[in-house]
Structure formats: structure tokens, C-alpha cells
Amino acid sequence: AQKVTQAQTEISVVEKEDVTLDCVYETRDTTYYLFWYKQPPSGELVFLIRRNSFDEQNEISGRYSWNFQKSTSSFNFTITASQVVDSAVYFCALLSGNTGKLIFGQGTTLQVKP
Amino acid sequence: EPEVTQTPSHQVTQMGQEVILRCVPISNHLYFYWYRQILGQKVEFLVSFYNNEISEKSEIFDDQFSVERPDGSNFTLKIRSTKLEDSAMYFCASSEFNTEAFFGQGTRLTVV
């Protein structure tokens, strides 16, 4: 079965704190892709990152960083020095198979307070 | 930058009515998708479409739903007889390869 679990339903931090959003996935495929999307209050899905299963290098983009560990089937997302504008729902998603279907986690609501 | 465009942004319809949600995918993309997000819940896959046919559909995508690519640019989702529980945000997505997805801004469907 393919599944994505985001165990943290809601996280609240104060501005400038670092925060890590957890994502654990399940798949039997050897080739797959992992994604993070941000959904601000306006509702659209904003693409943040895609990683394929053969690339375990961690990635940093500004204040955002991602830690991909196949050994623990995790793809965690860290925001450094959080800002109020980071407040949103964050979804982790898994893509495997040949139809391009994305399987989303339940999402983590991040609230950054000033 | 090319983007996926969805219209309308918000649609209100009466229960039992047919509704068509429209999407214009990115022009060179070959794979097309619809997803649904009930308010406060996760995003759920409905259907994928490639080479003018459905390649995969979920349990949600029952006989009330259909998709069509009527011309070279549009990709539509039709709900034949809407129910209250069809109220949700519907996202269209497209991709050039089946290893990514570019989402539209969504259509909020409210069934009353």
C-alpha cells in the first residue's frame, strides 16, 4: 500500500523559531518521487520541492531545507527563522506508479505568531 | 511562466444540477489530473488522463463524474448530478512527464 503520514496536525511557533514538519511515507516501488506543497489561506497549492528516490542528498533553499532518509522512509521539511508569512498548511505527497498519481498526507497546519 | 488555469474560481450550484469545471493545462503537457479537497481535509486524487483516455481513477470517481478533453486546450470535469458532499475545492493539474504535477489555483464548488 502507498501512504503518506504527517503526524503533526498543527504546529504553533513564534517568529524566528526553527520548525520541522515531519513526513513518513510507505511504498513498495523502488522508483518514486516525494513532494512538499504549501497551501496558504488563499487556497492554492504552491509547489516547494520534488525529490526522486535515488537522490538522498539534502537540499537547502533559502530558509527551507529538506532531509530525505530512505532508511526511515522520511522526508522532513525544516523552516529556519520562521516568519508570519510561513503560516499555511503544508502537504507532503508521494508519486509512484506510471500514471503520475499523487498521494497526499493529511497536512500540517503551521501557525507562526509574531 | 506557463500555468494551469481553472475557471470559475468559485461555483455555487443547486443539489441535483450538473456542473462542469474547466481547466486549461500547460500547453505542452500530456498528463492531466483532477484532485479534490473537502474543506479542512487532505487533497485526494480523482482521476488521471493521458492519450485521450483515463489512465487511473479513484473510488471517489464514480459514474457521476466524467472527464473530457474536448479540444486541444481544455480539460473538463463534469459532475452529472451534484450532491451536498461534492462541495469541495477541485484542483486540476498537468505535467509533461508523469513524474510531477503543476496545479491550478482551484475551483471552489459549493452545492446548496
CSV table of all heavy atoms in Angstrom, one decimal, chain A residues 32-60:
chain,number,residue,atom,x,y,z
A,32,TYR,N,10.3,6.4,-7.0
A,32,TYR,CA,9.2,7.2,-6.6
A,32,TYR,C,9.7,8.6,-6.4
A,32,TYR,O,10.9,8.9,-6.5
A,32,TYR,CB,8.5,6.7,-5.3
A,32,TYR,CG,9.5,6.4,-4.2
A,32,TYR,CD1,9.8,7.4,-3.3
A,32,TYR,CD2,10.1,5.2,-4.0
A,32,TYR,CE1,10.7,7.2,-2.2
A,32,TYR,CE2,11.0,4.9,-3.0
A,32,TYR,CZ,11.3,5.9,-2.1
A,32,TYR,OH,12.1,5.7,-1.1
A,33,TYR,N,8.7,9.5,-6.2
A,33,TYR,CA,9.1,10.9,-6.0
A,33,TYR,C,8.3,11.5,-4.8
A,33,TYR,O,7.2,11.0,-4.5
A,33,TYR,CB,8.7,11.8,-7.3
A,33,TYR,CG,9.4,11.4,-8.5
A,33,TYR,CD1,9.0,10.3,-9.3
A,33,TYR,CD2,10.5,12.1,-8.9
A,33,TYR,CE1,9.7,9.9,-10.4
A,33,TYR,CE2,11.2,11.7,-10.0
A,33,TYR,CZ,10.8,10.6,-10.8
A,33,TYR,OH,11.5,10.2,-11.9
A,34,LEU,N,9.0,12.4,-4.1
A,34,LEU,CA,8.4,13.0,-2.9
A,34,LEU,C,8.3,14.5,-3.1
A,34,LEU,O,9.2,15.1,-3.7
A,34,LEU,CB,9.2,12.7,-1.7
A,34,LEU,CG,9.3,11.2,-1.3
A,34,LEU,CD1,10.4,10.9,-0.4
A,34,LEU,CD2,7.9,10.7,-0.7
A,35,PHE,N,7.2,15.0,-2.6
A,35,PHE,CA,6.9,16.5,-2.8
A,35,PHE,C,6.5,17.1,-1.5
A,35,PHE,O,6.0,16.5,-0.6
A,35,PHE,CB,5.8,16.6,-3.8
A,35,PHE,CG,6.0,16.1,-5.2
A,35,PHE,CD1,5.9,14.8,-5.5
A,35,PHE,CD2,6.2,17.0,-6.2
A,35,PHE,CE1,6.1,14.3,-6.7
A,35,PHE,CE2,6.4,16.5,-7.5
A,35,PHE,CZ,6.3,15.1,-7.8
A,36,TRP,N,6.8,18.4,-1.5
A,36,TRP,CA,6.1,19.3,-0.5
A,36,TRP,C,5.4,20.4,-1.2
A,36,TRP,O,6.0,21.0,-2.1
A,36,TRP,CB,7.2,19.8,0.5
A,36,TRP,CG,7.6,18.9,1.6
A,36,TRP,CD1,8.6,18.1,1.7
A,36,TRP,CD2,6.9,18.8,2.9
A,36,TRP,NE1,8.6,17.4,2.9
A,36,TRP,CE2,7.6,17.8,3.6
A,36,TRP,CE3,5.7,19.3,3.4
A,36,TRP,CZ2,7.2,17.4,4.9
A,36,TRP,CZ3,5.3,19.0,4.7
A,36,TRP,CH2,6.0,18.0,5.4
A,37,TYR,N,4.2,20.6,-0.7
A,37,TYR,CA,3.4,21.8,-1.2
A,37,TYR,C,3.0,22.6,0.0
A,37,TYR,O,2.7,22.1,1.1
A,37,TYR,CB,2.1,21.3,-1.9
A,37,TYR,CG,2.3,20.6,-3.2
A,37,TYR,CD1,2.6,19.2,-3.3
A,37,TYR,CD2,2.3,21.4,-4.4
A,37,TYR,CE1,2.8,18.6,-4.6
A,37,TYR,CE2,2.5,20.8,-5.6
A,37,TYR,CZ,2.7,19.4,-5.7
A,37,TYR,OH,3.0,18.8,-6.9
A,38,LYS,N,2.8,23.9,-0.3
A,38,LYS,CA,2.3,24.9,0.7
A,38,LYS,C,1.0,25.3,0.2
A,38,LYS,O,0.8,25.6,-0.9
A,38,LYS,CB,3.3,26.1,0.8
A,38,LYS,CG,2.8,27.2,1.7
A,38,LYS,CD,3.8,28.4,1.6
A,38,LYS,CE,3.3,29.5,2.5
A,38,LYS,NZ,4.3,30.6,2.5
A,39,GLN,N,0.0,25.3,1.2
A,39,GLN,CA,-1.3,25.8,0.9
A,39,GLN,C,-1.6,27.0,1.8
A,39,GLN,O,-2.0,26.9,2.9
A,39,GLN,CB,-2.4,24.8,1.0
A,39,GLN,CG,-3.8,25.2,0.5
A,39,GLN,CD,-4.8,24.1,0.6
A,39,GLN,OE1,-4.9,23.3,1.5
A,39,GLN,NE2,-5.6,24.0,-0.5
A,40,PRO,N,-1.4,28.2,1.3
A,40,PRO,CA,-1.7,29.4,2.1
A,40,PRO,C,-3.2,29.6,2.3
A,40,PRO,O,-4.0,28.8,1.6
A,40,PRO,CB,-1.1,30.6,1.3
A,40,PRO,CG,-1.1,30.1,-0.1
A,40,PRO,CD,-0.9,28.6,0.0
A,41,PRO,N,-3.7,30.5,3.1
A,41,PRO,CA,-5.1,30.7,3.3
A,41,PRO,C,-5.9,31.0,2.0
A,41,PRO,O,-7.1,30.7,2.0
A,41,PRO,CB,-5.2,31.9,4.3
A,41,PRO,CG,-3.9,31.9,5.0
A,41,PRO,CD,-2.9,31.3,4.0
A,42,SER,N,-5.3,31.5,1.0
A,42,SER,CA,-6.0,31.7,-0.3
A,42,SER,C,-6.3,30.4,-1.0
A,42,SER,O,-7.1,30.4,-1.9
A,42,SER,CB,-5.1,32.6,-1.2
A,42,SER,OG,-3.8,32.1,-1.2
A,43,GLY,N,-5.7,29.3,-0.6
A,43,GLY,CA,-6.2,28.0,-1.1
A,43,GLY,C,-5.4,27.3,-2.2
A,43,GLY,O,-5.6,26.1,-2.4
A,44,GLU,N,-4.6,28.0,-2.9
A,44,GLU,CA,-3.9,27.3,-4.0
A,44,GLU,C,-2.8,26.4,-3.4
A,44,GLU,O,-2.4,26.6,-2.2
A,44,GLU,CB,-3.3,28.4,-4.9
A,44,GLU,CG,-2.1,29.2,-4.4
A,44,GLU,CD,-2.5,30.4,-3.7
A,44,GLU,OE1,-3.6,30.5,-3.1
A,44,GLU,OE2,-1.6,31.3,-3.6
A,45,LEU,N,-2.3,25.5,-4.2
A,45,LEU,CA,-1.2,24.6,-3.8
A,45,LEU,C,0.1,25.1,-4.5
A,45,LEU,O,0.2,25.2,-5.7
A,45,LEU,CB,-1.5,23.2,-4.3
A,45,LEU,CG,-2.6,22.5,-3.6
A,45,LEU,CD1,-3.0,21.2,-4.3
A,45,LEU,CD2,-2.2,22.1,-2.2
A,46,VAL,N,1.0,25.5,-3.6
A,46,VAL,CA,2.3,26.0,-4.1
A,46,VAL,C,3.4,25.0,-4.0
A,46,VAL,O,3.6,24.5,-2.9
A,46,VAL,CB,2.7,27.3,-3.3
A,46,VAL,CG1,4.0,27.8,-3.8
A,46,VAL,CG2,1.6,28.4,-3.4
A,47,PHE,N,3.9,24.6,-5.1
A,47,PHE,CA,5.0,23.6,-5.2
A,47,PHE,C,6.2,24.2,-4.5
A,47,PHE,O,6.7,25.3,-4.7
A,47,PHE,CB,5.3,23.3,-6.7
A,47,PHE,CG,6.6,22.5,-6.9
A,47,PHE,CD1,6.6,21.1,-6.7
A,47,PHE,CD2,7.7,23.1,-7.2
A,47,PHE,CE1,7.7,20.4,-6.9
A,47,PHE,CE2,8.9,22.4,-7.4
A,47,PHE,CZ,8.9,21.0,-7.3
A,48,LEU,N,6.8,23.3,-3.6
A,48,LEU,CA,8.1,23.7,-2.9
A,48,LEU,C,9.3,22.9,-3.4
A,48,LEU,O,10.3,23.5,-3.7
A,48,LEU,CB,7.9,23.5,-1.4
A,48,LEU,CG,6.9,24.4,-0.7
A,48,LEU,CD1,6.8,24.1,0.8
A,48,LEU,CD2,7.2,25.9,-0.9
A,49,ILE,N,9.1,21.6,-3.5
A,49,ILE,CA,10.2,20.7,-3.8
A,49,ILE,C,9.8,19.4,-4.3
A,49,ILE,O,8.7,18.9,-3.9
A,49,ILE,CB,11.2,20.5,-2.6
A,49,ILE,CG1,12.5,19.9,-3.1
A,49,ILE,CG2,10.5,19.7,-1.5
A,49,ILE,CD1,13.6,19.8,-2.0
A,50,ARG,N,10.6,18.8,-5.2
A,50,ARG,CA,10.4,17.4,-5.6
A,50,ARG,C,11.8,16.7,-5.5
A,50,ARG,O,12.8,17.2,-5.8
A,50,ARG,CB,10.0,17.3,-7.1
A,50,ARG,CG,9.8,15.9,-7.6
A,50,ARG,CD,9.5,15.9,-9.1
A,50,ARG,NE,10.8,16.1,-9.8
A,50,ARG,CZ,10.9,15.7,-11.1
A,50,ARG,NH1,9.9,15.1,-11.7
A,50,ARG,NH2,12.0,16.0,-11.7
A,51,ARG,N,11.7,15.5,-4.9
A,51,ARG,CA,12.9,14.6,-4.8
A,51,ARG,C,12.6,13.3,-5.4
A,51,ARG,O,11.5,12.7,-5.2
A,51,ARG,CB,13.4,14.4,-3.3
A,51,ARG,CG,13.6,15.7,-2.6
A,51,ARG,CD,14.8,16.4,-3.2
A,51,ARG,NE,16.1,15.8,-2.8
A,51,ARG,CZ,17.2,16.3,-3.3
A,51,ARG,NH1,17.3,17.3,-4.0
A,51,ARG,NH2,18.3,15.7,-2.9
A,52,ASN,N,13.6,12.7,-6.1
A,52,ASN,CA,13.4,11.3,-6.5
A,52,ASN,C,14.0,10.3,-5.6
A,52,ASN,O,14.9,10.7,-4.8
A,52,ASN,CB,13.8,11.1,-8.0
A,52,ASN,CG,15.3,11.1,-8.2
A,52,ASN,OD1,16.0,10.3,-7.5
A,52,ASN,ND2,15.8,11.9,-9.1
A,53,SER,N,13.6,9.1,-5.7
A,53,SER,CA,14.1,8.1,-4.7
A,53,SER,C,15.5,7.8,-4.8
A,53,SER,O,16.1,7.1,-3.9
A,53,SER,CB,13.2,6.8,-4.8
A,53,SER,OG,13.2,6.4,-6.2
A,54,PHE,N,16.2,8.2,-5.8
A,54,PHE,CA,17.6,7.9,-6.0
A,54,PHE,C,18.5,9.0,-5.5
A,54,PHE,O,19.7,8.8,-5.5
A,54,PHE,CB,17.9,7.5,-7.5
A,54,PHE,CG,17.1,6.4,-7.9
A,54,PHE,CD1,16.1,6.5,-8.9
A,54,PHE,CD2,17.4,5.1,-7.5
A,54,PHE,CE1,15.4,5.4,-9.3
A,54,PHE,CE2,16.7,4.0,-7.9
A,54,PHE,CZ,15.7,4.2,-8.8
A,55,ASP,N,17.9,10.1,-5.1
A,55,ASP,CA,18.7,11.2,-4.7
A,55,ASP,C,18.4,11.5,-3.2
A,55,ASP,O,17.5,12.2,-2.9
A,55,ASP,CB,18.4,12.4,-5.6
A,55,ASP,CG,19.2,13.6,-5.3
A,55,ASP,OD1,20.1,13.5,-4.4
A,55,ASP,OD2,19.0,14.6,-5.9
A,56,GLU,N,19.3,11.1,-2.4
A,56,GLU,CA,19.1,11.3,-0.9
A,56,GLU,C,19.9,12.5,-0.4
A,56,GLU,O,19.9,12.7,0.8
A,56,GLU,CB,19.6,10.0,-0.1
A,56,GLU,CG,18.6,8.9,-0.2
A,56,GLU,CD,18.9,7.8,0.8
A,56,GLU,OE1,18.6,8.0,2.0
A,56,GLU,OE2,19.4,6.8,0.4
A,57,GLN,N,20.4,13.3,-1.3
A,57,GLN,CA,21.1,14.5,-0.8
A,57,GLN,C,20.1,15.4,-0.2
A,57,GLN,O,19.0,15.7,-0.8
A,57,GLN,CB,21.8,15.2,-2.0
A,57,GLN,CG,23.2,14.7,-2.3
A,57,GLN,CD,23.9,15.7,-3.2
A,57,GLN,OE1,23.3,16.5,-3.9
A,57,GLN,NE2,25.2,15.7,-3.0
A,58,ASN,N,20.5,16.0,0.9
A,58,ASN,CA,19.6,17.0,1.5
A,58,ASN,C,19.7,18.3,0.7
A,58,ASN,O,20.7,18.5,0.0
A,58,ASN,CB,20.1,17.3,2.9
A,58,ASN,CG,19.8,16.1,3.8
A,58,ASN,OD1,18.9,15.3,3.6
A,58,ASN,ND2,20.6,16.0,4.9
A,59,GLU,N,18.6,19.0,0.7
A,59,GLU,CA,18.6,20.2,-0.1
A,59,GLU,C,18.2,21.5,0.8
A,59,GLU,O,17.4,21.4,1.7
A,59,GLU,CB,17.5,20.1,-1.2
A,59,GLU,CG,17.4,21.3,-2.1
A,59,GLU,CD,16.9,20.9,-3.5
A,59,GLU,OE1,17.0,19.7,-3.9
A,59,GLU,OE2,16.4,21.8,-4.2
A,60,ILE,N,18.8,22.6,0.4
A,60,ILE,CA,18.6,23.8,1.1
A,60,ILE,C,18.2,24.8,0.1
A,60,ILE,O,18.8,25.0,-1.0
A,60,ILE,CB,19.8,24.3,1.9
A,60,ILE,CG1,20.2,23.3,3.0
A,60,ILE,CG2,19.5,25.7,2.5
A,60,ILE,CD1,21.5,23.6,3.7
